[in-house]
Structures are given as structure tokens and as C-alpha cells.
Amino acid sequence: MKIDIHSHILPKEWPDLEKRYGYGGWVQLDHHCKGQARMMKDGKVFRVIQENCWDPEVRIKEMDLSGVTVQVLSTVPVMFSYWAKPQDTLDLSQILNNDLAATVKKYPKRFIGLGTLPLQAPDLAVKEMHRCVNELGFPGVQIGSHVNEWDLNAPELYDFYAAAEQLNCCLFVHPWDMQLDGRMSKYWFPWLIGMPAETTMAICSMIMGGIFEKFPKLKVCFAHGGGAFPYTVGRISHGFNVRPDLCAVDNKVDPRKYLGSFYTDSLVHDSGALRLLTSVIGEDKVILGTDYPFPLGELEPGKLIDSMEDFDHKLKDKLKAGNALEFLGLSRKQFE
């Protein structure tokens, strides 16, 4: 069994958001030719996507070819729209969540949904999270690595974390809103360097901000192998201990103590990195994630895990399915 915790989906179409809300900055789909669409933002092409990004039947064919049993579906992070008026982001979140729920309902043995929320307004986010879990049947939600000027340690988010803990709602943290200009404007740096940095900052913000201390039952998984964190945790811990005046201001507990408290996906593209990741984060805490259907993802799902000669069958099964089920609070029988 293979369960992919990290895959993105969009509706085939949605309303003209600039007309609906009265201002720009929104993403629209331009179906310019058969099997392809342009994601347009204020008249400029953000990304060209293929039909596997919106058509569940095309996805299922590709899943069957690559041996993926279940995809955990979440929106494309550019759709988070935390910058917008909260009521408008709530409306868009509901459009996306309802479409996602319809897809999961049609193919319940192949897809699991993670909702999206207007996190810039935590009170609205909590209400929509309740709806996602209690009405739409999602086991979790996807959130960004920061919310405008708030990092994930922001006190404004405490009520959201408390509600997620109470609902047993998992959080999948995805990097987004990276710096795109200046020195980052070349060589695809926002995706190659910016995304791992965003993820590292999200982990450190939650650790040093005391989020795991305040909300110990919170279930969190960070995308892209935890960014640079697994490789730099020694430096982070050392810095915490030599400069507590700077690092231990909100939480007195060494960051190392939280290893084993959260999950990451497996998307590291390198056998040495995957070996380090499972050693540092924990064999029970790493989950197959591919970033399907985008080119920076693992194009042959699970190939890296399967290639690890020093990983036994039991460990490979944990990474490919068992850990995902544990994180999501679901059973294997649901998908067999």
C-alpha cells in the first residue's frame, strides 16, 4: 500500500473572483487548450497545469500506473489567499473545500481531503475547520508556513491550535509566499532555497514559540522533508543553549526534545537525506509525499523509499502507508 500525503488538486473551474469580490490578486484558470490550463494572476501566467491537476479520473489512472493506493489531496498553496479580506478568503475556501469533498465522496477509497482555511481570521478559520471535520469528513487541513506577518508561533493562532487539538484535526504545513525578487529572482531559487527555508522557519517558530508545549496533542506534518531542519537541528539546538537570551525567550525547552513530536513528508530526492531524515525525525514520523502533479515532486512515487537497501520491509511499509494512517487517524481497512 502507498499513501501519498502530499498531492495538490484544483477544481476544474471556479467563479471570476475579481468580479465576485471587487478587487484583483486572485488566481483564475484559463483552459486555453485541451488537457492544459494556465493559472492566471492579474493577467500574468503563474503556472501552466495539466488535466491531472483537476481531473480525478486522470489522477486515478496515473495512480494505478505508479502503484499509489490513496492520495491525500490539498489545494495549491497560491490559493491560500491569506492576503485578502477574510470573508472573501472564507468564501473561496468553502468553494475549494466543497469541490474537494465532492471528489473524495465520489472516490472514497482513493482520496482523502485536507481543507483550506482563512487563517488570517482565526475565528473564521476555526468555524470552517469544524465544518471540514464534522460535515465534510476531512481528517485535517493544510496551512501555510506563515500567515502574512504572523509566523506559526503567533498568539493570534492559539485558539486555532486549541480547536485543532480538540477536533483531532491534523495540520499539514506547506511553504508558501517565498521571496521572489532581488537575489531570489534567479535559478528557481524561491522553490529550491526559499521553500526549504520557509519550512525550517515554520518548524522553529512552532518549537521556540512553545506551540508543541502548549498544545501537546497537536498533530503536525511539515512538507518537503522538513526543509533544512533535520540537517541543521544540531546548530539550532547549540544556538538555543549558548544564546538563551535570544532563543529561549518563549520556551525554555531545547529544540531537540521535540524530535518525535511532529511528522514530515519524505520528499528529499536523495537516499542519504532520507536516511538522515528517518534517523532524526523518527522512523514513525516520516510519510511518503510526492508533491504530485508538479515537476519538483517525486515523479515515481515511493521509488526512493523502495530503493533503500538498508530499510527493511517493515520500515518501508511504515513510510509508505503506516505512518500516514497514524497521522490521519485512519485505518488500513478503509482503503483495502
Side-chain angles (χ1 to χ4, degrees):
M1 180 178 278
K2 286 186 206 172
I3 300 174
D4 181 1
I5 196 72
H6 184 175
S7 69
H8 299 295
I9 194 167
L10 290 169
K12 185 175 183 179
E13 52 198 8
W14 55 86
D16 183 322
L17 301 178
E18 187 169 349
K19 281 185 183 173
R20 191 176 179 94
Y21 305 134
Y23 53 99
W26 307 96
V27 173
Q28 296 293 154
L29 274 194
D30 170 24
H31 289 274
H32 63 288
C33 68
K34 184 173 170 56
Q36 279 197 344
R38 298 186 188 104
M39 295 178 74
M40 305 294 295
K41 192 174 181 183
D42 292 330
K44 295 179 180 175
V45 178
F46 171 75
R47 178 181 291 160
V48 177
I49 59 173
Q50 279 68 47
E51 60 187 345
N52 58 4
C53 201
W54 69 79
D55 188 330
E57 293 180 3
V58 172
R59 295 177 87 94
I60 287 170
K61 285 176 186 170
E62 295 188 0
M63 289 163 67
D64 289 345
L65 285 171
S66 58
V68 173
T69 317
V70 182
Q71 280 185 346
V72 182
L73 305 176
S74 52
T75 195
V76 179
V78 72
M79 303 300 287
F80 287 153
S81 306
Y82 299 151
W83 53 271
K85 293 176 184 175
Q87 203 63 44
D88 298 336
T89 305
L90 173 62
D91 182 63
L92 176 58
S93 295
Q94 291 175 339
I95 291 169
L96 296 170
N97 292 336
N98 291 345
D99 182 81
L100 180 53
T103 299
V104 173
K105 187 177 181 181
K106 193 173 181 184
Y107 306 100
K109 287 191 176 292
R110 304 310 301 270
F111 298 128
I112 297 165
L114 297 179
T116 189
L117 306 172
L119 211 50
Q120 74 271 40
D123 56 334
L124 296 180
V126 167
K127 286 178 184 173
E128 181 61 9
M129 178 167 59
H130 272 272
R131 193 180 78 93
C132 283
V133 172
N134 295 327
E135 294 181 30
L136 302 184
F138 297 163
V141 294
Q142 177 185 227
I143 67 171
S145 49
H146 65 276
V147 183
N148 302 325
E149 296 304 308
W150 301 340
D151 281 306
L152 295 186
N153 61 311
E156 290 87 348
L157 295 173
Y158 287 0
D159 287 349
F160 164 70
Y161 292 136
E165 202 177 43
Q166 182 190 7
L167 284 167
N168 197 26
C169 179
C170 327
L171 308 181
F172 182 66
V173 180
H174 196 293
W176 89 300
D177 195 28
M178 304 80 65
Q179 182 185 343
L180 302 173
D181 57 0
R183 293 169 62 224
M184 293 296 282
S185 64
K186 58 183 181 294
Y187 308 138
W188 214 18
F189 275 178
W191 275 258
L192 301 184
I193 296 171
M195 278 193 163
E198 273 291 324
T199 305
T200 309
M201 196 159 176
I203 295 173
C204 288
S205 294
M206 292 188 85
I207 288 175
M208 293 185 184
I211 300 304
F212 295 120
E213 201 66 24
K214 291 180 179 73
F215 308 101
K217 294 179 183 173
L218 205 58
K219 292 200 289 187
V220 186
C221 179
F222 297 92
H224 305 147
F229 181 82
Y231 186 71
T232 54
V233 64
R235 178 184 180 86
I236 291 162
S237 172
H238 179 73
F240 180 91
N241 286 304
V242 297
R243 290 303 306 265
D245 56 314
L246 298 176
C247 302
V249 289
D250 293 322
N251 183 15
K252 307 297 183 192
V253 182
D254 188 318
R256 276 190 189 276
K257 301 261 175 75
Y258 295 97
L259 295 174
S261 298
F262 56 85
Y263 296 79
T264 74
D265 74 14
S266 63
L267 190 55
V268 292
H269 299 289
D270 181 87
S271 59
L274 183 59
R275 194 172 288 112
L276 177 78
L277 181 65
T278 53
S279 172
V280 171
I281 298 299
E283 294 182 353
D284 295 329
K285 299 294 179 183
V286 178
I287 303 172
L288 172 65
T290 69
D291 211 356
Y292 175 99
F294 299 129
L296 199 47
E298 185 177 31
L299 304 180
E300 296 180 55
K303 184 179 180 182
L304 181 60
I305 292 169
D306 285 332
S307 75
M308 303 294 286
E309 293 180 4
D310 49 331
F311 286 11
D312 62 19
H313 174 77
K314 185 180 176 185
L315 174 54
K316 289 179 180 179
D317 181 66
K318 277 185 183 181
L319 301 178
K320 289 192 291 185
N323 294 345
L325 293 167
E326 187 68 29
F327 172 64
L328 296 164
L330 301 172
S331 75
R332 204 175 282 251
K333 286 179 183 175
Q334 290 173 249
F335 306 101
E336 286 175 341

